[in-house]
Amino acid sequence: MSEQTIGILGGGQLGSLLCLSAKKLNLKTVIYCNDIDAPAQNYANQFICGDYKDKIKIQEFISKVDVVTYEFENIPFETLDLINQFKQVKPKPTVNKIVQHRLYEKDFVNKCNISTTRYVSIKERSDLNANVKLIPGILKTCRLGYDGKGQFKLNNISDLENLNIDFSQEYILEKMINLKKEFSIILTRFGHSIHSVYDPIENEHEDQILKFSKIPADIDEKILTKAKDWASIIADDLDYIGTICIEYFIDKNDNLYVNEIAPRVHNSGHLTINAFNISQFENHIRAICGLEKQELIKIFNAKMINIIGEEIVSYRLKQYSDNEYFFDYGKKEIKAKRKMGHLTVVEK
Ligand code: ADP
Ligand code: MG
């Protein structure tokens, strides 16, 4: 088992933290990323820089690894499918095909009899005029959006006049929810009904970017139980292997909705590194390498703050106490609205 080398597609902070967990388990890692400056190369045993559609580089990657996973969902399905013919990709590529497209993802969730916001597919401008009942709403690109990128808030249909929307792409229009709370459930699935479920994590967004996460979530127990059940149904239905995150909304009337599924480790789960005996990253590595599920134990309550853009400068200079864990992603360039690091504070 300790012979396995893990291939990871994507080289950001999630990749870095996956590599650190693999190292803890005495497993080797190869990062594949299209960014020559990918931070995860500093934590991996090997790094291959290449386009996600470069078949020659991908073959080189395949030859060096035993099992493959990914740290973000926008790897082309064809690439995952190709790799999977030689080395197992976990979670399996069909999971990605569903989840990397907001419309397929929401259709899938509803097929499981689980609630989402009301939504409709938007292919052209006239589809918006035909669906004003979903406005106020948010128009989102079906593919490649993250941290609020590719999203347009529409309070009125007339807001469209000021927006330059490229209708060569597919969109989804979602009814705006009157949000009371947001939270996430992180679960690692090892096999049918063999799940490790972390305590629900309450999340606060600023500018559609995650800013604060905490456990315990200050949310009604009944809602949390329902959300955990839904997460288990989703993971089993997808026949998922590894760590998955389900993002939820609660509206002002206490209705629960699935917002989106992340088929990977998740930013809201960074606090699991310091708050649990086994982090979401270690559990992901364990599951994809076929190791047995271990009992999950929460050691501390915790809070996490995402450090965005220029904020990183002052965090780099701070002194930290022994209940504070600062992690600098080591990104070469500081950009506005970009996640640069995080700080976890545990309650000792
Ligand atoms: P991303 O892929 O960028 O994370 P999300 O769909 O999760 O996209 O949207 C980011 C954030 O925007 C959400 O966490 C939430 O705060 C807000 N948001 C998205 N959709 C809605 C909605 N239908 N109603 C209210 N707020 C929303
Ligand atoms: Mg989201």
Side-chain angles (χ1 to χ4, degrees):
M1 191 57 63
S2 61
E3 302 296 301
Q4 288 191 70
T5 297
I6 302 158
I8 301 170
L9 294 154
Q13 61 268 28
L14 298 172
S16 302
L17 292 162
L18 283 168
C19 289
L20 280 172
S21 285
K23 208 170 269 183
K24 186 179 160 200
L25 296 168
N26 211 15
L27 299 166
K28 294 206 161 42
T29 47
V30 181
I31 289 283
Y32 188 102
C33 187
N34 61 1
D35 175 5
I36 188 76
D37 298 320
Q41 63 189 282
N42 300 315
Y43 300 91
N45 297 88
Q46 272 193 68
F47 173 55
I48 300 173
C49 182
D51 189 272
Y52 292 117
K53 289 185 174 163
D54 183 336
K55 289 198 174 136
I56 295 169
K57 286 270 173 71
I58 290 287
Q59 282 297 346
E60 183 193 342
F61 174 66
I62 291 169
S63 72
K64 291 183 188 298
V65 300
D66 300 303
V67 59
V68 172
T69 191
Y70 46 88
E71 63 126 41
F72 84 122
E73 52 271 42
N74 293 323
I75 313 282
F77 170 73
E78 294 69 26
T79 301
L80 295 177
D81 203 38
L82 170 73
I83 297 171
N84 202 37
Q85 290 166 28
F86 300 91
K87 303 283 165 66
Q88 275 201 323
V89 175
K90 294 178 187 174
K92 60 185 181 188
T94 44
V95 166
N96 206 276
K97 193 170 193 169
I98 298 170
V99 172
Q100 66 178 217
H101 192 284
R102 290 189 196 272
L103 193 64
Y104 305 159
E105 177 185 47
K106 287 215 160 52
D107 286 347
F108 163 76
V109 173
N110 282 279
K111 192 202 83 191
C112 297
N113 282 320
I114 291 172
S115 314
T116 62
T117 54
R118 285 170 62 205
Y119 64 97
V120 65
S121 158
I122 300 288
K123 295 218 164 80
E124 50 194 80
R125 207 183 178 86
S126 61
D127 293 339
L128 282 164
N129 295 311
N131 286 288
V132 280
K133 61 182 182 301
L134 295 187
I135 297 175
I138 305 187
L139 187 66
K140 303 179 181 178
T141 50
C142 284
R143 293 185 188 277
L144 297 176
Y146 70 98
D147 288 346
K149 292 180 177 65
Q151 301 195 5
F152 307 92
K153 272 192 188 159
L154 300 176
N155 291 316
N156 282 296
I157 187 85
S158 62
D159 288 350
L160 269 179
E161 285 157 25
N162 307 319
L163 297 172
N164 193 8
I165 295 169
D166 166 16
F167 282 102
S168 65
Q169 292 193 63
E170 293 171 85
Y171 293 85
I172 183 171
L173 175 65
E174 281 180 39
K175 180 107 180 132
M176 187 96 76
I177 297 263
N178 207 347
L179 282 179
K180 180 171 168 187
K181 296 254 176 172
E182 292 190 63
F183 69 100
S184 50
I185 302 278
I186 294 178
L187 177 157
T188 307
R189 184 176 180 274
F190 291 78
H192 188 72
S193 291
I194 311 172
H195 303 163
S196 268
V197 190
Y198 290 89
D199 288 6
I201 300 164
E202 187 171 333
N203 299 320
E204 225 179 282
H205 291 74
E206 280 177 9
D207 260 351
Q208 283 146 301
I209 303 176
L210 180 66
K211 186 62 193 166
F212 302 106
S213 293
K214 67 166 185 182
I215 42 165
D218 180 17
I219 294 167
D220 182 81
E221 226 16 79
K222 263 197 222 142
I223 296 179
L224 296 180
T225 304
K226 189 165 164 186
K228 281 187 199 164
D229 290 347
W230 283 1
S232 290
I233 292 170
I234 288 171
D236 274 340
D237 211 284
L238 290 170
D239 193 20
Y240 196 94
I241 295 294
T243 296
I244 188 170
C245 173
I246 318 288
E247 297 179 15
Y248 293 89
F249 292 152
I250 307 173
D251 73 9
K252 295 269 178 329
N253 297 319
D254 280 340
N255 294 307
L256 178 66
Y257 306 90
V258 165
N259 169 29
E260 60 175 348
I261 302 170
R264 50 170 171 81
V265 288
H266 193 259
N267 186 181
S268 64
H270 286 352
L271 51 69
T272 64
I273 297 172
N274 311 104
F276 286 84
N277 62 332
I278 300 174
S279 73
Q280 60 162 353
F281 302 98
E282 185 179 335
N283 250 340
H284 185 70
I285 301 287
R286 284 178 177 277
I288 64 165
C289 290
L291 302 179
E292 271 186 24
K293 178 187 139 176
Q294 307 274 317
E295 192 197 351
L296 200 57
I297 303 163
K298 187 177 80 173
I299 305 165
F300 301 114
N301 288 331
K303 290 192 170 111
M304 184 219 54
I305 303 163
N306 262 342
I307 302 163
I308 316 277
E310 287 291 335
E311 289 172 358
I312 192 72
V313 177
S314 62
Y315 277 90
R316 282 178 179 152
L317 301 172
K318 272 189 193 160
Q319 296 282 321
Y320 294 99
S321 40
D322 68 353
N323 65 332
E324 295 178 319
Y325 301 88
F326 169 56
F327 192 76
D328 188 336
Y329 301 155
K331 291 184 183 170
K332 220 173 172 186
E333 248 183 289
I334 301 179
K335 286 191 199 155
K337 299 195 173 188
R338 187 183 209 193
K339 292 169 182 167
M340 299 299 298
H342 72 268
L343 175 72
T344 300
V345 183
V346 301
E347 276 177 30
K348 279 191 175 167

